[in-house]
Amino acid sequence: IRDQIRDYTSNIEEKTQDFVGRQFILDAIDNFMENEQRGYVFVRGDPGIGKTALAAQIVKTRGYLHHFNIRAEGINKASDFLKSVCSQLIAVYKLEYAVLPPEATQDSGFLHKLLEEVSSQLDGKKCVIVVDALDEVENLNLSSGANTLYLPLTLPDGIYIICTMRRETDENVQLRVDMSEQLELFIEQDEEGNIADVREYVVNQTPRYGIQTYIQKQQISDEAFINHMVEKSQGNFIYLRMVLPEVEQGAYTDLDFR
């Protein structure tokens, strides 16, 4: 069973490097799980706003079961998700299966069976599964009308699934779940919590030697540099992760980052 579990350790470490903030999202998730017996949490946001980093940080710090869809690596099919998550459930909760049955990756039937078995032994605890990048899933071979990744319509008590996806969900993402048991969170680029996290990220990077050298050449203060980078980023972390290393390496001679 364990050899069916995909190892995302290197991906998680890369995505959580220099991670900051997101407490406003974590608090909302925790509040939902505290007040609801089960359900889905959907975290939406524009590309580059840090959805995968958030998912990776949650997995890294809380040890939740997880699956990351990575289109560029071909890891974006329902069978990939079902094989890995079902194997994790069996291994973590010591369910009595030596191998996955052939039907495990064909629909949500076996997954739902495992979730029911896990639910029966939770005794007030929670089982949380993190699924990143639903918008990267390939649905070509999905049964007509089925949920993306064959995610269950309803979840047993104590089971929570946290999903991330782009803000504007196209027809590729098919989701039909119990409306009374879901929470939708949108990370807005210009919202106070996101801007505060962006600022914290820039503040943490500013002491680097190359960036300090740049600041001195521009004859500006650290605060002026921070304010400028926050404004230029427009709330997008990918921009900062690309531009700040270039600033540190001396790629710019003025404040006009392109």
Side-chain angles (χ1 to χ4, degrees):
I1 286 293
R2 289 189 176 275
D3 62 1
Q4 301 295 312
I5 300 174
R6 190 175 293 276
D7 185 4
Y8 288 104
T9 303
S10 60
N11 302 79
I12 290 170
E13 287 302 317
E14 191 274 328
K15 291 297 183 182
T16 56
Q17 184 178 5
D18 300 321
F19 183 89
V20 297
R22 293 307 187 230
Q23 196 58 49
F24 66 106
I25 295 291
L26 297 173
D27 288 345
I29 292 172
D30 289 340
N31 184 65
F32 175 79
M33 293 195 298
E34 183 68 28
N35 291 287
E36 301 294 337
Q37 291 183 302
R38 57 189 171 270
Y40 282 92
V41 177
F42 298 113
V43 181
R44 301 176 184 264
D46 291 329
I49 206 160
K51 301 181 299 297
T52 296
L54 172 65
Q57 181 72 5
I58 291 173
V59 171
K60 181 178 180 178
T61 57
R62 301 187 177 191
Y64 291 158
L65 280 65
H66 55 277
H67 178 77
F68 290 79
N69 294 290
I70 309 173
R71 181 186 291 142
E73 297 181 14
I75 308 169
N76 64 337
K77 301 173 183 63
S79 57
D80 299 326
F81 164 74
L82 291 168
K83 184 187 298 182
S84 184
V85 169
C86 286
S87 298
Q88 289 177 66
L89 288 166
I90 292 169
V92 171
Y93 291 96
K94 298 179 173 56
L95 305 180
E96 295 183 0
Y97 298 91
V99 296
L100 292 180
E103 67 271 16
T105 59
Q106 296 175 5
D107 55 37
S108 66
F110 187 65
L111 171 62
H112 204 282
K113 183 175 188 295
L114 295 182
L115 293 176
E116 290 283 3
E117 292 184 28
V118 169
S119 175
S120 69
Q121 62 170 269
L122 286 176
D123 192 28
K125 297 181 180 178
K126 296 174 174 59
C127 169
V128 184
I129 303 171
V130 176
V131 185
D132 182 56
L134 287 188
D135 51 279
E136 296 195 17
V137 173
E138 177 186 292
N139 285 327
L140 291 179
N141 298 316
L142 205 66
S143 301
S144 177
N147 277 342
T148 293
L149 298 181
Y150 290 117
L151 290 169
L153 174 65
T154 60
L155 299 172
D157 285 352
I159 307 294
Y160 303 85
I161 299 182
I162 301 171
C163 302
T164 71
M165 70 190 85
R166 290 192 177 192
R167 176 181 173 81
E168 299 299 334
T169 302
D170 59 25
E171 66 277 1
N172 186 54
V173 179
Q174 304 172 41
L175 284 175
R176 189 165 58 91
V177 302
D178 191 322
M179 294 294 289
S180 66
E181 299 169 0
Q182 68 166 293
L183 171 67
E184 283 202 275
L185 299 172
F186 292 87
I187 305 179
E188 305 285 358
Q189 289 187 320
D190 59 353
E191 71 177 297
E192 182 179 346
N194 187 58
I195 295 299
D197 290 346
V198 164
R199 175 172 290 278
E200 182 180 354
Y201 183 83
V202 178
V203 167
N204 290 347
Q205 300 300 309
T206 299
R208 293 180 180 272
Y209 178 78
I211 292 178
Q212 282 297 309
T213 300
Y214 172 83
I215 288 173
Q216 291 167 17
K217 285 182 178 179
Q218 296 301 313
Q219 298 183 328
I220 59 176
S221 66
D222 285 8
E223 186 65 19
F225 173 79
I226 292 165
N227 290 339
H228 183 72
M229 292 307 306
V230 170
E231 181 181 356
K232 293 289 287 187
S233 74
Q234 297 183 328
N236 191 292
F237 277 90
I238 292 297
Y239 174 87
L240 294 172
R241 294 192 69 173
M242 291 175 61
V243 172
L244 286 174
E246 293 179 344
V247 174
E248 186 177 9
Q249 293 160 18
Y252 300 100
T253 58
D254 54 34
L255 287 170
D256 187 20
F257 305 134
R258 298 187 186 277

